[in-house]
Amino acid sequence: KIMLPRYQDSGRAIGYAHVEFADEASLNKALKMTGKEMGGRYLVIQPSKGKSKTAVYWKKTPEGCRTIFVKGLPYDISEEEVGNLFAHCGAINSIRFVNNSVTRQFKGFCYVEFANSLSLKKAIEMNGKEFRGRNLIVDYDEGQPKKGYKYKVDELSKYNKLSLIHICRCRRYAVCRSRWSPYH
């Protein structure tokens, strides 16, 4: 089995591969190829370190923090799926997906804001868990959204509608004049 990671925007190979061999003899034969040239590049072949099955989280919860950063999400996931994934942790105020500013494609990470900070402990326990074949990385987010952040107005969901109304009240973004705002 060969897994060849590719760039999301161009589809070109990133420059490394994960190869799963049928037997140990094949693995040893491949390891001997380290340092040989292939396509104008020198090969570096080494055994995999493996995936961590258990994630130990030792950070102290930041005071007043209600938002987590979630990385390692599939590129075709929806806000609804992320909401359902973390629904057992507590009430969710908003979910912010991060998209490429040029291609508008999802980058594979998001921020989930909970109604209270007690929900964070349950959410942090999801760190290292596998979801749709990918290991999730869940961490506290201590910062605020960048001032240039805009919600995707054409894709409102139950998780970003409240935040859009908040943005409209503060009149800081171009989104404020959206047709969904009850304040304009």
Side-chain angles (χ1 to χ4, degrees), residues 87-184:
H88 73 278
C89 301
I92 297 173
N93 279 352
S94 69
I95 296 174
R96 295 176 310 198
F97 272 31
V98 179
N99 297 306
N100 181 302
S101 60
V102 176
T103 65
R104 302 284 186 231
Q105 289 180 316
F106 177 54
K107 287 186 167 185
F109 66 94
C110 72
Y111 298 89
V112 180
E113 181 185 353
F114 290 97
N116 62 53
S117 58
L118 298 174
S119 302
L120 288 180
K121 284 192 178 187
K122 287 183 182 176
I124 290 296
E125 290 173 3
M126 297 286 290
N127 187 36
K129 301 281 191 231
E130 191 171 307
F131 177 71
R132 285 179 41 188
R134 302 185 72 165
N135 285 343
L136 296 178
I137 297 171
V138 181
D139 196 1
Y140 300 110
D141 179 53
E142 300 175 52
Q144 294 295 318
K146 291 182 180 178
K147 293 193 186 239
Y149 181 79
K150 296 175 182 73
Y151 288 89
K152 289 175 90 174
V153 178
D154 55 334
E155 294 180 16
L156 286 181
S157 74
K158 67 181 179 182
Y159 296 110
N160 68 11
K161 207 173 267 187
L162 291 174
S163 299
L164 182 63
I165 291 169
H166 168 74
I167 289 171
C168 291
R169 284 182 184 163
C170 69
R171 298 180 183 267
R172 290 194 316 209
Y173 300 108
V175 172
C176 291
R177 298 193 188 352
S178 80
R179 59 190 164 129
W180 288 284
S181 174
Y183 301 103
H184 298 285

